[in-house]
Every structure is written in C-alpha cells, then in structure tokens.
Amino acid sequence: SHCITVILLTFQTNILTELKNWKLNLIQHHKLQMRQEKEKQAAHVKQLQNEVENLKELLRTFEISISRKDEVAITNLTKALEKQKERVELMRRFTLWRIQHVKAKQEEYAVRMADKHFQTVLMKKVWAAWRSVTEEKWKDKVTRACQLRAEDVCVQLTNDYEAKIAELTATLEQTKAEILRLHHERDQYEDTMKKAFMRGVCALNLEAMSMFQNK
C-alpha cells in the first residue's frame, strides 16, 4: 500500500510538472507573439514616418523648383521690358525726328503710327503684368494643393495607425480571455485529476484490505 501511494504521488508530481511546463510554454509563446506584434508595429510606424519625411522633402524640392522658375521668369521679363523700353525710346526719337522733317500729311500719319505703336507696347506691358499675376496665382494654387495633399496623406496615415492599434488591442484582449479560459480549464482539470487520484487510492486501499482479509 505504501509503494502504491508513492507511485501515485510520483505520478501526480509528474503530471503537475507537465502542467507547469505546459503553462510556461504557453506564456512564453504568448510573450513571443506580443514581441513580434510590437516589432511589426514599430516597423510600420517607422515606414509611415519615412513616407511623411519623403513627402515633406518632395514638397520642399517642389517649392525650391517653383521659386527658381519664378526668379528666372522675373529676370527674363525684366530684361525683356528693359529691351522693350530701349526700343520704344529709340522708335520714339526716330518718330520725332521724322515728324520734324516731313510735311504736314506725313506728320499726321506718323503721329497715328506712333500712337498705334504705343498702344501695342502698352498692351504688351499689360499682358506681361497679367501673366505675372496669373503665374503667382498658379503658384499659390499649386502650393495649396500640395499642402492639402500632404495633410490628407497625414490624416490617412494617422487613421491607419489608429486602426492598427485598435486591431492589436482587440487581439490582446482576446488573448487575455483565452489565457483566463485556459487557466480555468487547468483548474478544473487539476480538480478532476485530484478526485480521480482519490478514488483510485480509495479503490486500491479497499482492494488491499480485501486481499488481507481473504488471506
């Protein structure tokens, strides 16, 4: 009877050891999963940050390019206006010289031509000014569009990041619930095993007593 009791206790100890190892393995597996999820989350956040930085760099490059184009356009327009002013001045002097050396009819005709040419030059100046204003408005529109696009991208990235956090939180809660359920099943299993051991011990004791009585 003592030998049987020792065997049962040894068997019980082995089972409890096995249950403890199973519990440790389950906890270790859960920790590994959590660490992997955190690493994935960190990698995703890093990727999002890189994308935001790339968008910022693209915006800065685009602004620099527009600024340079504007400077070149302004320089070209200034040079063109200077040349045009010089041409107008030369033509005006030539016209005055002709007016002083021609007859009355030719003088009237030259005046009309000078007025017409002046109107043409004035129209060119007005057109150049309108073009400059239009390009400035276009630059503002492009800048606003880029800013809105960058803001939309940031909002989308933020929403995706928050959705990923919510998904990971839900997964964590499910894992915790699963661990609690497994703990509950383990407790029930241990209680069942204890009762089974007790019934087995009682049965063995009764059988031993019966054998002694028969002997």
mmCIF file of all heavy atoms in Angstrom, residues 1-14 201:
data_model
loop_
_atom_site.group_PDB
_atom_site.id
_atom_site.type_symbol
_atom_site.label_atom_id
_atom_site.label_comp_id
_atom_site.label_asym_id
_atom_site.label_seq_id
_atom_site.Cartn_x
_atom_site.Cartn_y
_atom_site.Cartn_z
ATOM 1 N N SER A 1 0.845 -1.207 0.000
ATOM 2 C CA SER A 1 0.000 0.000 0.000
ATOM 3 C C SER A 1 0.875 1.251 0.000
ATOM 4 O O SER A 1 0.595 2.229 -0.697
ATOM 5 C CB SER A 1 -0.914 0.005 1.224
ATOM 6 O OG SER A 1 -1.630 1.209 1.302
ATOM 7 N N HIS A 2 1.942 1.215 0.795
ATOM 8 C CA HIS A 2 2.851 2.372 0.806
ATOM 9 C C HIS A 2 3.525 2.575 -0.546
ATOM 10 O O HIS A 2 3.662 3.710 -1.031
ATOM 11 C CB HIS A 2 3.917 2.149 1.886
ATOM 12 C CG HIS A 2 4.933 3.279 1.949
ATOM 13 N ND1 HIS A 2 4.599 4.547 2.420
ATOM 14 C CD2 HIS A 2 6.246 3.314 1.587
ATOM 15 C CE1 HIS A 2 5.669 5.310 2.342
ATOM 16 N NE2 HIS A 2 6.699 4.576 1.843
ATOM 17 N N CYS A 3 3.890 1.505 -1.175
ATOM 18 C CA CYS A 3 4.519 1.576 -2.507
ATOM 19 C C CYS A 3 3.552 2.161 -3.530
ATOM 20 O O CYS A 3 3.907 2.987 -4.363
ATOM 21 C CB CYS A 3 4.998 0.184 -2.928
ATOM 22 S SG CYS A 3 5.852 0.176 -4.532
ATOM 23 N N ILE A 4 2.304 1.707 -3.442
ATOM 24 C CA ILE A 4 1.290 2.216 -4.388
ATOM 25 C C ILE A 4 1.077 3.705 -4.165
ATOM 26 O O ILE A 4 0.945 4.489 -5.119
ATOM 27 C CB ILE A 4 -0.016 1.430 -4.228
ATOM 28 C CG1 ILE A 4 0.193 -0.026 -4.667
ATOM 29 C CG2 ILE A 4 -1.137 2.078 -5.044
ATOM 30 C CD1 ILE A 4 -0.983 -0.918 -4.366
ATOM 31 N N THR A 5 1.047 4.100 -2.899
ATOM 32 C CA THR A 5 0.848 5.531 -2.593
ATOM 33 C C THR A 5 2.007 6.362 -3.144
ATOM 34 O O THR A 5 1.810 7.445 -3.707
ATOM 35 C CB THR A 5 0.747 5.725 -1.072
ATOM 36 O OG1 THR A 5 -0.318 4.920 -0.564
ATOM 37 C CG2 THR A 5 0.475 7.200 -0.759
ATOM 38 N N VAL A 6 3.238 5.858 -2.984
ATOM 39 C CA VAL A 6 4.409 6.555 -3.512
ATOM 40 C C VAL A 6 4.327 6.669 -5.023
ATOM 41 O O VAL A 6 4.619 7.714 -5.621
ATOM 42 C CB VAL A 6 5.697 5.834 -3.096
ATOM 43 C CG1 VAL A 6 6.908 6.441 -3.821
ATOM 44 C CG2 VAL A 6 5.899 5.929 -1.588
ATOM 45 N N ILE A 7 3.891 5.586 -5.669
ATOM 46 C CA ILE A 7 3.765 5.606 -7.140
ATOM 47 C C ILE A 7 2.735 6.639 -7.561
ATOM 48 O O ILE A 7 2.942 7.408 -8.508
ATOM 49 C CB ILE A 7 3.395 4.207 -7.668
ATOM 50 C CG1 ILE A 7 4.565 3.248 -7.442
ATOM 51 C CG2 ILE A 7 3.028 4.271 -9.146
ATOM 52 C CD1 ILE A 7 4.233 1.794 -7.753
ATOM 53 N N LEU A 8 1.617 6.674 -6.845
ATOM 54 C CA LEU A 8 0.562 7.642 -7.188
ATOM 55 C C LEU A 8 1.052 9.072 -6.979
ATOM 56 O O LEU A 8 0.775 9.960 -7.782
ATOM 57 C CB LEU A 8 -0.686 7.378 -6.349
ATOM 58 C CG LEU A 8 -1.433 6.086 -6.667
ATOM 59 C CD1 LEU A 8 -2.574 5.875 -5.701
ATOM 60 C CD2 LEU A 8 -1.979 6.138 -8.100
ATOM 61 N N LEU A 9 1.774 9.273 -5.867
ATOM 62 C CA LEU A 9 2.286 10.621 -5.608
ATOM 63 C C LEU A 9 3.299 11.026 -6.679
ATOM 64 O O LEU A 9 3.330 12.177 -7.133
ATOM 65 C CB LEU A 9 2.939 10.686 -4.228
ATOM 66 C CG LEU A 9 1.977 10.591 -3.030
ATOM 67 C CD1 LEU A 9 2.745 10.542 -1.724
ATOM 68 C CD2 LEU A 9 1.018 11.771 -3.025
ATOM 69 N N THR A 10 4.144 10.068 -7.080
ATOM 70 C CA THR A 10 5.114 10.349 -8.146
ATOM 71 C C THR A 10 4.416 10.680 -9.453
ATOM 72 O O THR A 10 4.774 11.623 -10.176
ATOM 73 C CB THR A 10 6.047 9.147 -8.347
ATOM 74 O OG1 THR A 10 6.703 8.855 -7.102
ATOM 75 C CG2 THR A 10 7.098 9.462 -9.421
ATOM 76 N N PHE A 11 3.358 9.904 -9.747
ATOM 77 C CA PHE A 11 2.581 10.147 -10.967
ATOM 78 C C PHE A 11 1.918 11.516 -10.937
ATOM 79 O O PHE A 11 1.908 12.262 -11.917
ATOM 80 C CB PHE A 11 1.548 9.030 -11.121
ATOM 81 C CG PHE A 11 0.719 9.160 -12.367
ATOM 82 C CD1 PHE A 11 1.305 9.065 -13.629
ATOM 83 C CD2 PHE A 11 -0.639 9.391 -12.283
ATOM 84 C CE1 PHE A 11 0.539 9.190 -14.763
ATOM 85 C CE2 PHE A 11 -1.404 9.515 -13.417
ATOM 86 C CZ PHE A 11 -0.807 9.405 -14.675
ATOM 87 N N GLN A 12 1.387 11.829 -9.747
ATOM 88 C CA GLN A 12 0.749 13.149 -9.583
ATOM 89 C C GLN A 12 1.764 14.270 -9.757
ATOM 90 O O GLN A 12 1.501 15.293 -10.392
ATOM 91 C CB GLN A 12 0.081 13.248 -8.202
ATOM 92 C CG GLN A 12 -0.644 14.575 -7.971
ATOM 93 C CD GLN A 12 -1.283 14.632 -6.611
ATOM 94 O OE1 GLN A 12 -1.099 13.710 -5.810
ATOM 95 N NE2 GLN A 12 -2.035 15.673 -6.350
ATOM 96 N N THR A 13 2.973 14.080 -9.172
ATOM 97 C CA THR A 13 4.020 15.106 -9.298
ATOM 98 C C THR A 13 4.430 15.292 -10.748
ATOM 99 O O THR A 13 4.630 16.416 -11.229
ATOM 100 C CB THR A 13 5.241 14.704 -8.461
ATOM 101 O OG1 THR A 13 4.834 14.545 -7.092
ATOM 102 C CG2 THR A 13 6.320 15.779 -8.548
ATOM 103 N N ASN A 14 4.549 14.174 -11.477
ATOM 104 C CA ASN A 14 4.906 14.263 -12.893
ATOM 105 C C ASN A 14 3.852 15.019 -13.688
ATOM 106 O O ASN A 14 4.160 15.837 -14.566
ATOM 107 C CB ASN A 14 5.112 12.870 -13.475
ATOM 108 C CG ASN A 14 6.345 12.186 -12.897
ATOM 109 O OD1 ASN A 14 7.286 12.863 -12.451
ATOM 110 N ND2 ASN A 14 6.353 10.858 -12.883
ATOM 111 N N VAL A 201 -6.983 5.871 -5.090
ATOM 112 C CA VAL A 201 -6.365 5.493 -3.813
ATOM 113 C C VAL A 201 -7.350 4.732 -2.945
ATOM 114 O O VAL A 201 -7.026 3.712 -2.327
ATOM 115 C CB VAL A 201 -5.834 6.757 -3.104
ATOM 116 C CG1 VAL A 201 -5.405 6.427 -1.685
ATOM 117 C CG2 VAL A 201 -4.646 7.331 -3.885
#
